[in-house]
Amino acid sequence: MKVLVINGPNLNMLGVRNPKVYGTATYAELVDYIERKAKDLCIDVRVIQSNSEGDLVTAIQQAYKVYDGIVLNAAAYTHTSVAILDALEAVSIPTVEVHLSDIARREEFRHHSFVSLYAFKTIKGFGFEGYAMALEELIKHNNL
C-alpha cells in the first residue's frame, strides 16, 4: 500500500511554534515517526510539507492513480480551502484528516473543516500518534 502524507503550513515550525499546543518535538522528528510507523505497518510512505495552498493542491492532484491513501494535515488551510476540498474530491483517494491538537477545543474559527467534508475519518488531538492512527485507518479502509 502506498500512502502520501501531506502536511500544511507552519508544520515545518514544530518545536518552535506554540510549544504549549504543539509540543517541543521538531518536524524532522515527526517525519521520522511517520516513516518508522509506516515501515512497521508495511506501508510505502512519502511525507511532504508545504506552506503554499497551491503546492498542497498540486500534491493531491499528482497522487491520482499513484497512491492508495492520503493522510492530510492541511493545518490552517483546513478551515479555509475549498481548493483542497475540490482536489480531494477530484482524485477520489481515501483520505484521513489529522490534526496534532484538538481543533474542536480551540478557537471558534478552527471548528469548521472543509477537509472533513471529504475525509472518511478525522483524527485530532493525539499529537504524533494521530498519524499512526491514520495509517491504521487507511489499512482498515482498504481491507488490507
Short mmCIF file of all heavy atoms in Angstrom, two decimals, residues 28-58:
data_model
loop_
_atom_site.label_atom_id
_atom_site.label_comp_id
_atom_site.label_asym_id
_atom_site.label_seq_id
_atom_site.Cartn_x
_atom_site.Cartn_y
_atom_site.Cartn_z
N ALA A 28 11.25 17.36 11.78
CA ALA A 28 12.10 16.21 11.40
C ALA A 28 11.76 15.00 12.25
O ALA A 28 11.73 13.86 11.75
CB ALA A 28 13.57 16.57 11.52
N GLU A 29 11.49 15.23 13.52
CA GLU A 29 11.09 14.12 14.40
C GLU A 29 9.73 13.56 13.99
O GLU A 29 9.51 12.34 14.07
CB GLU A 29 11.08 14.58 15.86
CG GLU A 29 12.47 14.85 16.40
CD GLU A 29 12.45 15.49 17.78
OE1 GLU A 29 11.92 16.62 17.91
OE2 GLU A 29 12.99 14.86 18.72
N LEU A 30 8.82 14.42 13.56
CA LEU A 30 7.51 13.94 13.08
C LEU A 30 7.69 13.08 11.84
O LEU A 30 7.11 11.99 11.77
CB LEU A 30 6.58 15.13 12.77
CG LEU A 30 5.25 14.76 12.09
CD1 LEU A 30 4.41 13.84 12.99
CD2 LEU A 30 4.48 16.02 11.72
N VAL A 31 8.48 13.53 10.89
CA VAL A 31 8.70 12.75 9.68
C VAL A 31 9.32 11.40 10.02
O VAL A 31 8.89 10.36 9.51
CB VAL A 31 9.58 13.53 8.67
CG1 VAL A 31 9.99 12.64 7.49
CG2 VAL A 31 8.85 14.78 8.19
N ASP A 32 10.31 11.39 10.90
CA ASP A 32 10.94 10.13 11.33
C ASP A 32 9.90 9.21 11.97
O ASP A 32 9.86 8.01 11.68
CB ASP A 32 12.08 10.43 12.31
CG ASP A 32 12.79 9.16 12.74
OD1 ASP A 32 13.33 8.45 11.87
OD2 ASP A 32 12.79 8.87 13.96
N TYR A 33 9.04 9.77 12.82
CA TYR A 33 7.99 8.98 13.47
C TYR A 33 7.06 8.35 12.42
O TYR A 33 6.76 7.15 12.48
CB TYR A 33 7.19 9.87 14.43
CG TYR A 33 6.02 9.18 15.06
CD1 TYR A 33 6.17 8.41 16.21
CD2 TYR A 33 4.75 9.28 14.50
CE1 TYR A 33 5.09 7.76 16.79
CE2 TYR A 33 3.66 8.63 15.07
CZ TYR A 33 3.83 7.87 16.21
OH TYR A 33 2.75 7.22 16.76
N ILE A 34 6.61 9.14 11.47
CA ILE A 34 5.70 8.64 10.44
C ILE A 34 6.37 7.54 9.62
O ILE A 34 5.77 6.49 9.38
CB ILE A 34 5.24 9.79 9.51
CG1 ILE A 34 4.38 10.78 10.29
CG2 ILE A 34 4.48 9.24 8.31
CD1 ILE A 34 4.15 12.10 9.57
N GLU A 35 7.61 7.75 9.23
CA GLU A 35 8.32 6.76 8.43
C GLU A 35 8.52 5.45 9.18
O GLU A 35 8.39 4.37 8.61
CB GLU A 35 9.64 7.34 7.92
CG GLU A 35 9.42 8.41 6.87
CD GLU A 35 10.68 9.13 6.43
OE1 GLU A 35 11.72 9.03 7.14
OE2 GLU A 35 10.63 9.83 5.39
N ARG A 36 8.84 5.54 10.48
CA ARG A 36 9.00 4.33 11.29
C ARG A 36 7.68 3.57 11.42
O ARG A 36 7.64 2.34 11.29
CB ARG A 36 9.56 4.65 12.67
CG ARG A 36 11.06 4.90 12.69
CD ARG A 36 11.63 5.09 14.09
NE ARG A 36 11.24 6.39 14.64
CZ ARG A 36 10.43 6.57 15.69
NH1 ARG A 36 9.94 5.55 16.34
NH2 ARG A 36 10.13 7.79 16.10
N LYS A 37 6.59 4.30 11.69
CA LYS A 37 5.28 3.65 11.83
C LYS A 37 4.84 3.02 10.52
O LYS A 37 4.30 1.91 10.51
CB LYS A 37 4.22 4.65 12.32
CG LYS A 37 4.44 5.11 13.74
CD LYS A 37 4.38 3.95 14.71
CE LYS A 37 4.64 4.39 16.13
NZ LYS A 37 4.57 3.28 17.08
N ALA A 38 5.09 3.70 9.41
CA ALA A 38 4.73 3.16 8.11
C ALA A 38 5.51 1.87 7.83
O ALA A 38 4.94 0.89 7.35
CB ALA A 38 4.99 4.19 7.01
N LYS A 39 6.78 1.88 8.15
CA LYS A 39 7.60 0.67 7.95
C LYS A 39 7.06 -0.47 8.79
O LYS A 39 6.94 -1.61 8.30
CB LYS A 39 9.06 0.96 8.31
CG LYS A 39 9.99 -0.19 8.03
CD LYS A 39 11.43 0.16 8.33
CE LYS A 39 12.31 -1.04 8.05
NZ LYS A 39 13.71 -0.78 8.39
N ASP A 40 6.70 -0.20 10.04
CA ASP A 40 6.13 -1.23 10.92
C ASP A 40 4.84 -1.82 10.34
O ASP A 40 4.53 -2.99 10.55
CB ASP A 40 5.83 -0.67 12.32
CG ASP A 40 7.09 -0.33 13.10
OD1 ASP A 40 8.20 -0.76 12.71
OD2 ASP A 40 6.96 0.39 14.12
N LEU A 41 4.09 -0.98 9.62
CA LEU A 41 2.80 -1.40 9.06
C LEU A 41 2.94 -1.89 7.61
O LEU A 41 1.93 -2.18 6.95
CB LEU A 41 1.80 -0.24 9.12
CG LEU A 41 1.39 0.22 10.51
CD1 LEU A 41 0.65 1.56 10.44
CD2 LEU A 41 0.54 -0.84 11.20
N CYS A 42 4.17 -1.97 7.11
CA CYS A 42 4.45 -2.39 5.73
C CYS A 42 3.78 -1.48 4.71
O CYS A 42 3.22 -1.93 3.71
CB CYS A 42 4.04 -3.85 5.52
SG CYS A 42 4.94 -5.00 6.57
N ILE A 43 3.83 -0.18 4.97
CA ILE A 43 3.27 0.83 4.08
C ILE A 43 4.42 1.61 3.45
O ILE A 43 5.35 2.02 4.14
CB ILE A 43 2.35 1.80 4.85
CG1 ILE A 43 1.11 1.07 5.35
CG2 ILE A 43 1.97 2.99 3.99
CD1 ILE A 43 0.23 1.93 6.27
N ASP A 44 4.33 1.79 2.14
CA ASP A 44 5.28 2.65 1.43
C ASP A 44 4.75 4.08 1.59
O ASP A 44 3.63 4.38 1.15
CB ASP A 44 5.33 2.25 -0.04
CG ASP A 44 6.28 3.09 -0.86
OD1 ASP A 44 7.13 3.80 -0.28
OD2 ASP A 44 6.18 3.04 -2.10
N VAL A 45 5.51 4.94 2.24
CA VAL A 45 5.02 6.28 2.56
C VAL A 45 5.93 7.35 1.99
O VAL A 45 7.15 7.18 1.94
CB VAL A 45 4.84 6.46 4.09
CG1 VAL A 45 6.17 6.51 4.80
CG2 VAL A 45 4.02 7.69 4.41
N ARG A 46 5.31 8.43 1.57
CA ARG A 46 6.04 9.64 1.19
C ARG A 46 5.45 10.76 2.02
O ARG A 46 4.22 10.92 2.10
CB ARG A 46 5.86 9.95 -0.29
CG ARG A 46 6.58 11.23 -0.71
CD ARG A 46 6.57 11.42 -2.22
NE ARG A 46 7.19 12.70 -2.52
CZ ARG A 46 6.66 13.63 -3.29
NH1 ARG A 46 5.48 13.42 -3.85
NH2 ARG A 46 7.28 14.76 -3.50
N VAL A 47 6.31 11.56 2.66
CA VAL A 47 5.87 12.65 3.52
C VAL A 47 6.33 13.96 2.89
O VAL A 47 7.51 14.12 2.58
CB VAL A 47 6.45 12.52 4.95
CG1 VAL A 47 5.93 13.64 5.84
CG2 VAL A 47 6.14 11.15 5.54
N ILE A 48 5.38 14.89 2.72
CA ILE A 48 5.72 16.19 2.18
C ILE A 48 5.12 17.29 3.06
O ILE A 48 4.17 17.05 3.81
CB ILE A 48 5.24 16.37 0.72
CG1 ILE A 48 3.72 16.32 0.64
CG2 ILE A 48 5.89 15.34 -0.18
CD1 ILE A 48 3.16 16.77 -0.69
N GLN A 49 5.66 18.48 2.93
CA GLN A 49 5.15 19.64 3.67
C GLN A 49 5.29 20.86 2.78
O GLN A 49 6.29 21.02 2.07
CB GLN A 49 5.95 19.86 4.96
CG GLN A 49 5.41 20.94 5.89
CD GLN A 49 5.84 22.36 5.55
OE1 GLN A 49 6.92 22.58 5.02
NE2 GLN A 49 4.99 23.33 5.84
N SER A 50 4.28 21.72 2.81
CA SER A 50 4.36 22.99 2.11
C SER A 50 3.55 24.04 2.86
O SER A 50 2.52 23.73 3.47
CB SER A 50 3.84 22.87 0.68
OG SER A 50 3.90 24.14 0.04
N ASN A 51 4.02 25.26 2.76
CA ASN A 51 3.28 26.39 3.30
C ASN A 51 2.35 27.00 2.26
O ASN A 51 1.60 27.92 2.56
CB ASN A 51 4.26 27.45 3.81
CG ASN A 51 5.05 26.95 5.00
OD1 ASN A 51 4.51 26.33 5.90
ND2 ASN A 51 6.34 27.20 4.99
N SER A 52 2.39 26.48 1.04
CA SER A 52 1.62 27.03 -0.07
C SER A 52 0.39 26.17 -0.37
O SER A 52 0.50 24.97 -0.61
CB SER A 52 2.51 27.09 -1.31
OG SER A 52 1.74 27.36 -2.46
N GLU A 53 -0.76 26.81 -0.40
CA GLU A 53 -2.01 26.10 -0.72
C GLU A 53 -1.93 25.45 -2.09
O GLU A 53 -2.35 24.30 -2.27
CB GLU A 53 -3.17 27.09 -0.65
CG GLU A 53 -4.52 26.47 -0.93
CD GLU A 53 -5.64 27.50 -0.86
OE1 GLU A 53 -5.38 28.72 -1.04
OE2 GLU A 53 -6.79 27.08 -0.64
N GLY A 54 -1.38 26.15 -3.06
CA GLY A 54 -1.28 25.61 -4.41
C GLY A 54 -0.41 24.36 -4.47
O GLY A 54 -0.73 23.41 -5.20
N ASP A 55 0.66 24.33 -3.69
CA ASP A 55 1.52 23.14 -3.64
C ASP A 55 0.75 21.95 -3.07
O ASP A 55 0.92 20.81 -3.53
CB ASP A 55 2.76 23.39 -2.78
CG ASP A 55 3.76 24.33 -3.42
OD1 ASP A 55 3.63 24.64 -4.63
OD2 ASP A 55 4.67 24.77 -2.70
N LEU A 56 -0.09 22.20 -2.08
CA LEU A 56 -0.88 21.11 -1.50
C LEU A 56 -1.89 20.57 -2.50
O LEU A 56 -2.07 19.36 -2.64
CB LEU A 56 -1.58 21.58 -0.22
CG LEU A 56 -0.65 22.10 0.89
CD1 LEU A 56 -1.48 22.56 2.09
CD2 LEU A 56 0.37 21.08 1.30
N VAL A 57 -2.55 21.47 -3.23
CA VAL A 57 -3.49 21.06 -4.27
C VAL A 57 -2.77 20.25 -5.34
O VAL A 57 -3.25 19.18 -5.76
CB VAL A 57 -4.20 22.29 -4.88
CG1 VAL A 57 -4.99 21.91 -6.13
CG2 VAL A 57 -5.13 22.94 -3.86
N THR A 58 -1.62 20.72 -5.77
CA THR A 58 -0.84 20.01 -6.78
C THR A 58 -0.43 18.62 -6.29
O THR A 58 -0.52 17.64 -7.04
CB THR A 58 0.39 20.83 -7.20
OG1 THR A 58 -0.07 22.06 -7.78
CG2 THR A 58 1.25 20.09 -8.21
#
